mmCIF file of all heavy atoms in Angstrom:
data_model
loop_
_atom_site.group_PDB
_atom_site.id
_atom_site.type_symbol
_atom_site.label_atom_id
_atom_site.label_comp_id
_atom_site.label_asym_id
_atom_site.label_seq_id
_atom_site.Cartn_x
_atom_site.Cartn_y
_atom_site.Cartn_z
ATOM 1 N N ILE A 1237 0.804 -1.208 -0.010
ATOM 2 C CA ILE A 1237 0.070 -0.111 -0.007
ATOM 3 C C ILE A 1237 0.883 1.185 0.033
ATOM 4 O O ILE A 1237 0.513 2.215 -0.699
ATOM 5 C CB ILE A 1237 -1.049 -0.033 1.204
ATOM 6 C CG1 ILE A 1237 -1.993 1.228 1.028
ATOM 7 C CG2 ILE A 1237 -0.331 0.043 2.513
ATOM 8 C CD1 ILE A 1237 -2.874 1.143 -0.222
ATOM 9 N N ARG A 1238 1.963 1.246 0.720
ATOM 10 C CA ARG A 1238 2.822 2.430 0.693
ATOM 11 C C ARG A 1238 3.469 2.598 -0.707
ATOM 12 O O ARG A 1238 3.605 3.785 -1.139
ATOM 13 C CB ARG A 1238 3.925 2.261 1.702
ATOM 14 C CG ARG A 1238 4.855 3.535 1.869
ATOM 15 C CD ARG A 1238 5.936 3.292 2.916
ATOM 16 N NE ARG A 1238 7.014 4.231 2.681
ATOM 17 C CZ ARG A 1238 8.268 4.138 3.133
ATOM 18 N NH1 ARG A 1238 8.671 2.955 3.791
ATOM 19 N NH2 ARG A 1238 9.213 5.032 2.935
ATOM 20 N N THR A 1239 3.920 1.543 -1.373
ATOM 21 C CA THR A 1239 4.466 1.621 -2.726
ATOM 22 C C THR A 1239 3.344 2.189 -3.713
ATOM 23 O O THR A 1239 3.731 3.042 -4.423
ATOM 24 C CB THR A 1239 4.773 0.129 -3.200
ATOM 25 O OG1 THR A 1239 5.824 -0.457 -2.277
ATOM 26 C CG2 THR A 1239 5.386 0.229 -4.554
ATOM 27 N N THR A 1240 2.099 1.664 -3.605
ATOM 28 C CA THR A 1240 1.105 2.317 -4.472
ATOM 29 C C THR A 1240 0.846 3.776 -4.224
ATOM 30 O O THR A 1240 0.768 4.592 -5.153
ATOM 31 C CB THR A 1240 -0.295 1.542 -4.176
ATOM 32 O OG1 THR A 1240 -0.067 0.137 -4.428
ATOM 33 C CG2 THR A 1240 -1.274 2.050 -5.124
ATOM 34 N N TYR A 1241 0.690 4.067 -2.927
ATOM 35 C CA TYR A 1241 0.530 5.511 -2.597
ATOM 36 C C TYR A 1241 1.646 6.475 -3.107
ATOM 37 O O TYR A 1241 1.421 7.435 -3.745
ATOM 38 C CB TYR A 1241 0.361 5.664 -1.068
ATOM 39 C CG TYR A 1241 0.081 7.119 -0.617
ATOM 40 C CD1 TYR A 1241 -1.117 7.715 -0.533
ATOM 41 C CD2 TYR A 1241 1.277 7.856 -0.154
ATOM 42 C CE1 TYR A 1241 -1.288 8.997 -0.233
ATOM 43 C CE2 TYR A 1241 1.144 9.110 0.204
ATOM 44 C CZ TYR A 1241 -0.145 9.749 0.192
ATOM 45 O OH TYR A 1241 -0.369 11.027 0.629
ATOM 46 N N GLU A 1242 2.937 6.067 -2.852
ATOM 47 C CA GLU A 1242 3.966 6.931 -3.237
ATOM 48 C C GLU A 1242 4.119 6.910 -4.695
ATOM 49 O O GLU A 1242 4.576 7.944 -5.216
ATOM 50 C CB GLU A 1242 5.308 6.399 -2.487
ATOM 51 C CG GLU A 1242 5.223 6.570 -1.003
ATOM 52 C CD GLU A 1242 6.509 6.197 -0.231
ATOM 53 O OE1 GLU A 1242 7.535 5.648 -0.943
ATOM 54 O OE2 GLU A 1242 6.601 6.408 0.909
ATOM 55 N N ASN A 1243 3.840 5.810 -5.423
ATOM 56 C CA ASN A 1243 3.868 5.909 -6.879
ATOM 57 C C ASN A 1243 2.831 6.860 -7.427
ATOM 58 O O ASN A 1243 3.114 7.494 -8.496
ATOM 59 C CB ASN A 1243 3.801 4.507 -7.434
ATOM 60 C CG ASN A 1243 5.041 3.665 -7.288
ATOM 61 O OD1 ASN A 1243 6.138 4.198 -6.861
ATOM 62 N ND2 ASN A 1243 5.064 2.434 -7.501
ATOM 63 N N VAL A 1244 1.723 6.916 -6.902
ATOM 64 C CA VAL A 1244 0.629 7.801 -7.340
ATOM 65 C C VAL A 1244 1.051 9.157 -7.068
ATOM 66 O O VAL A 1244 0.853 10.166 -7.981
ATOM 67 C CB VAL A 1244 -0.810 7.419 -6.708
ATOM 68 C CG1 VAL A 1244 -1.777 8.449 -7.062
ATOM 69 C CG2 VAL A 1244 -1.229 5.992 -7.095
ATOM 70 N N VAL A 1245 1.578 9.488 -5.921
ATOM 71 C CA VAL A 1245 1.949 10.852 -5.599
ATOM 72 C C VAL A 1245 3.042 11.260 -6.590
ATOM 73 O O VAL A 1245 3.059 12.451 -7.054
ATOM 74 C CB VAL A 1245 2.486 10.871 -4.187
ATOM 75 C CG1 VAL A 1245 3.196 12.290 -3.909
ATOM 76 C CG2 VAL A 1245 1.336 10.748 -3.120
ATOM 77 N N ALA A 1246 3.961 10.354 -6.921
ATOM 78 C CA ALA A 1246 5.082 10.652 -7.878
ATOM 79 C C ALA A 1246 4.765 11.022 -9.190
ATOM 80 O O ALA A 1246 5.537 11.595 -9.918
ATOM 81 C CB ALA A 1246 6.204 9.492 -7.668
ATOM 82 N N THR A 1247 3.500 10.576 -9.628
ATOM 83 C CA THR A 1247 3.159 10.970 -11.030
ATOM 84 C C THR A 1247 3.049 12.507 -11.168
ATOM 85 O O THR A 1247 3.147 12.988 -12.333
ATOM 86 C CB THR A 1247 1.783 10.293 -11.355
ATOM 87 O OG1 THR A 1247 0.667 10.967 -10.504
ATOM 88 C CG2 THR A 1247 1.744 8.834 -11.205
ATOM 89 N N GLY A 1248 2.746 13.258 -10.062
ATOM 90 C CA GLY A 1248 2.573 14.690 -10.148
ATOM 91 C C GLY A 1248 1.367 15.082 -10.807
ATOM 92 O O GLY A 1248 1.318 16.333 -11.160
ATOM 93 N N LEU A 1249 0.369 14.337 -11.021
ATOM 94 C CA LEU A 1249 -0.860 14.614 -11.731
ATOM 95 C C LEU A 1249 -1.996 15.095 -10.850
ATOM 96 O O LEU A 1249 -3.030 15.590 -11.407
ATOM 97 C CB LEU A 1249 -1.314 13.326 -12.480
ATOM 98 C CG LEU A 1249 -0.470 12.738 -13.594
ATOM 99 C CD1 LEU A 1249 -1.009 11.325 -14.054
ATOM 100 C CD2 LEU A 1249 -0.473 13.729 -14.698
ATOM 101 N N PHE A 1250 -1.863 15.022 -9.541
ATOM 102 C CA PHE A 1250 -2.939 15.351 -8.662
ATOM 103 C C PHE A 1250 -2.679 16.379 -7.599
ATOM 104 O O PHE A 1250 -1.519 16.611 -7.212
ATOM 105 C CB PHE A 1250 -3.437 14.027 -7.880
ATOM 106 C CG PHE A 1250 -3.555 12.882 -8.778
ATOM 107 C CD1 PHE A 1250 -2.592 11.929 -9.032
ATOM 108 C CD2 PHE A 1250 -4.811 12.830 -9.511
ATOM 109 C CE1 PHE A 1250 -2.814 10.840 -9.994
ATOM 110 C CE2 PHE A 1250 -4.992 11.681 -10.301
ATOM 111 C CZ PHE A 1250 -4.098 10.797 -10.551
ATOM 112 N N ASP A 1251 -3.709 17.201 -7.340
ATOM 113 C CA ASP A 1251 -3.649 18.155 -6.272
ATOM 114 C C ASP A 1251 -3.576 17.483 -4.875
ATOM 115 O O ASP A 1251 -2.960 18.191 -4.039
ATOM 116 C CB ASP A 1251 -4.847 19.140 -6.363
ATOM 117 C CG ASP A 1251 -4.909 19.869 -7.671
ATOM 118 O OD1 ASP A 1251 -4.084 20.788 -7.861
ATOM 119 O OD2 ASP A 1251 -5.773 19.485 -8.611
ATOM 120 N N ASP A 1252 -4.068 16.332 -4.716
ATOM 121 C CA ASP A 1252 -3.982 15.671 -3.450
ATOM 122 C C ASP A 1252 -4.129 14.149 -3.718
ATOM 123 O O ASP A 1252 -4.827 13.772 -4.624
ATOM 124 C CB ASP A 1252 -5.046 16.033 -2.486
ATOM 125 C CG ASP A 1252 -4.448 16.685 -1.207
ATOM 126 O OD1 ASP A 1252 -3.339 16.349 -0.822
ATOM 127 O OD2 ASP A 1252 -5.067 17.573 -0.626
ATOM 128 N N VAL A 1253 -3.528 13.322 -2.826
ATOM 129 C CA VAL A 1253 -3.784 11.851 -2.858
ATOM 130 C C VAL A 1253 -4.152 11.379 -1.526
ATOM 131 O O VAL A 1253 -3.413 11.761 -0.524
ATOM 132 C CB VAL A 1253 -2.528 11.192 -3.399
ATOM 133 C CG1 VAL A 1253 -2.663 9.583 -3.540
ATOM 134 C CG2 VAL A 1253 -1.986 11.765 -4.800
ATOM 135 N N PHE A 1254 -5.092 10.567 -1.436
ATOM 136 C CA PHE A 1254 -5.603 9.954 -0.198
ATOM 137 C C PHE A 1254 -5.681 8.455 -0.223
ATOM 138 O O PHE A 1254 -6.024 7.906 -1.321
ATOM 139 C CB PHE A 1254 -6.958 10.527 0.255
ATOM 140 C CG PHE A 1254 -7.002 12.074 0.442
ATOM 141 C CD1 PHE A 1254 -7.297 12.804 -0.675
ATOM 142 C CD2 PHE A 1254 -6.840 12.684 1.580
ATOM 143 C CE1 PHE A 1254 -7.516 14.150 -0.645
ATOM 144 C CE2 PHE A 1254 -6.937 13.898 1.709
ATOM 145 C CZ PHE A 1254 -7.185 14.692 0.595
ATOM 146 N N VAL A 1255 -5.442 7.792 0.814
ATOM 147 C CA VAL A 1255 -5.768 6.284 1.042
ATOM 148 C C VAL A 1255 -7.101 6.298 1.830
ATOM 149 O O VAL A 1255 -7.145 6.971 2.954
ATOM 150 C CB VAL A 1255 -4.755 5.559 1.689
ATOM 151 C CG1 VAL A 1255 -5.292 4.101 2.173
ATOM 152 C CG2 VAL A 1255 -3.479 5.286 0.791
ATOM 153 N N VAL A 1256 -8.080 5.607 1.490
ATOM 154 C CA VAL A 1256 -9.168 5.533 2.232
ATOM 155 C C VAL A 1256 -9.382 3.973 2.711
ATOM 156 O O VAL A 1256 -9.408 3.077 1.812
ATOM 157 C CB VAL A 1256 -10.627 5.975 1.494
ATOM 158 C CG1 VAL A 1256 -10.703 5.248 0.235
ATOM 159 C CG2 VAL A 1256 -11.765 5.774 2.463
ATOM 160 N N THR A 1257 -9.460 3.755 3.982
ATOM 161 C CA THR A 1257 -9.306 2.333 4.468
ATOM 162 C C THR A 1257 -10.251 2.117 5.701
ATOM 163 O O THR A 1257 -10.677 2.977 6.423
ATOM 164 C CB THR A 1257 -7.818 2.120 4.942
ATOM 165 O OG1 THR A 1257 -7.755 0.682 5.257
ATOM 166 C CG2 THR A 1257 -7.414 3.026 6.077
ATOM 167 N N ASP A 1258 -10.498 0.811 5.910
ATOM 168 C CA ASP A 1258 -11.301 0.437 7.044
ATOM 169 C C ASP A 1258 -10.333 -0.165 8.124
ATOM 170 O O ASP A 1258 -10.809 -0.726 9.083
ATOM 171 C CB ASP A 1258 -12.269 -0.653 6.707
ATOM 172 C CG ASP A 1258 -11.691 -1.900 6.017
ATOM 173 O OD1 ASP A 1258 -10.440 -1.987 5.733
ATOM 174 O OD2 ASP A 1258 -12.472 -2.827 5.673
ATOM 175 N N SER A 1259 -8.969 -0.124 7.785
ATOM 176 C CA SER A 1259 -7.930 -0.768 8.771
ATOM 177 C C SER A 1259 -7.124 0.310 9.453
ATOM 178 O O SER A 1259 -6.406 1.186 8.669
ATOM 179 C CB SER A 1259 -7.084 -1.589 7.880
ATOM 180 O OG SER A 1259 -5.928 -2.044 8.521
ATOM 181 N N GLU A 1260 -6.986 0.273 10.766
ATOM 182 C CA GLU A 1260 -6.102 1.121 11.522
ATOM 183 C C GLU A 1260 -4.689 0.773 11.069
ATOM 184 O O GLU A 1260 -3.763 1.622 11.043
ATOM 185 C CB GLU A 1260 -6.315 0.970 12.945
ATOM 186 C CG GLU A 1260 -7.636 1.552 13.425
ATOM 187 C CD GLU A 1260 -7.712 1.478 14.974
ATOM 188 O OE1 GLU A 1260 -6.832 1.157 15.638
ATOM 189 O OE2 GLU A 1260 -8.837 1.810 15.484
ATOM 190 N N LEU A 1261 -4.418 -0.458 10.862
ATOM 191 C CA LEU A 1261 -2.996 -0.796 10.307
ATOM 192 C C LEU A 1261 -2.482 -0.072 9.120
ATOM 193 O O LEU A 1261 -1.428 0.453 9.022
ATOM 194 C CB LEU A 1261 -2.801 -2.244 10.138
ATOM 195 C CG LEU A 1261 -2.758 -3.225 11.446
ATOM 196 C CD1 LEU A 1261 -2.865 -4.670 10.951
ATOM 197 C CD2 LEU A 1261 -1.367 -2.918 12.122
ATOM 198 N N ILE A 1262 -3.442 -0.025 8.096
ATOM 199 C CA ILE A 1262 -3.126 0.588 6.839
ATOM 200 C C ILE A 1262 -3.121 2.104 7.086
ATOM 201 O O ILE A 1262 -2.266 2.824 6.541
ATOM 202 C CB ILE A 1262 -4.185 0.194 5.867
ATOM 203 C CG1 ILE A 1262 -4.049 -1.292 5.389
ATOM 204 C CG2 ILE A 1262 -4.092 1.061 4.555
ATOM 205 C CD1 ILE A 1262 -5.048 -1.818 4.545
ATOM 206 N N PHE A 1263 -4.202 2.682 7.880
ATOM 207 C CA PHE A 1263 -4.094 4.123 8.159
ATOM 208 C C PHE A 1263 -2.834 4.519 8.730
ATOM 209 O O PHE A 1263 -2.211 5.500 8.256
ATOM 210 C CB PHE A 1263 -5.251 4.403 9.058
ATOM 211 C CG PHE A 1263 -5.444 5.826 9.477
ATOM 212 C CD1 PHE A 1263 -6.236 6.651 8.709
ATOM 213 C CD2 PHE A 1263 -4.716 6.353 10.507
ATOM 214 C CE1 PHE A 1263 -6.480 7.928 9.026
ATOM 215 C CE2 PHE A 1263 -4.851 7.713 10.798
ATOM 216 C CZ PHE A 1263 -5.699 8.488 10.152
#
């Protein structure tokens, strides 16, 4: 999940990037 998040941020295409989760571990 951290790899996915950081790769999406690295595209530079978005004003903001969020993970939405039901898990405190992932949060």
Side-chain angles (χ1 to χ4, degrees):
I1237 188 59
R1238 183 182 162 202
T1239 303
T1240 303
Y1241 179 84
E1242 291 183 356
N1243 284 349
V1244 174
V1245 171
T1247 66
L1249 294 170
F1250 304 100
D1251 296 287
D1252 241 331
V1253 180
F1254 302 90
V1255 168
V1256 57
T1257 183
D1258 58 357
S1259 164
E1260 290 184 6
L1261 280 174
I1262 292 173
F1263 181 93

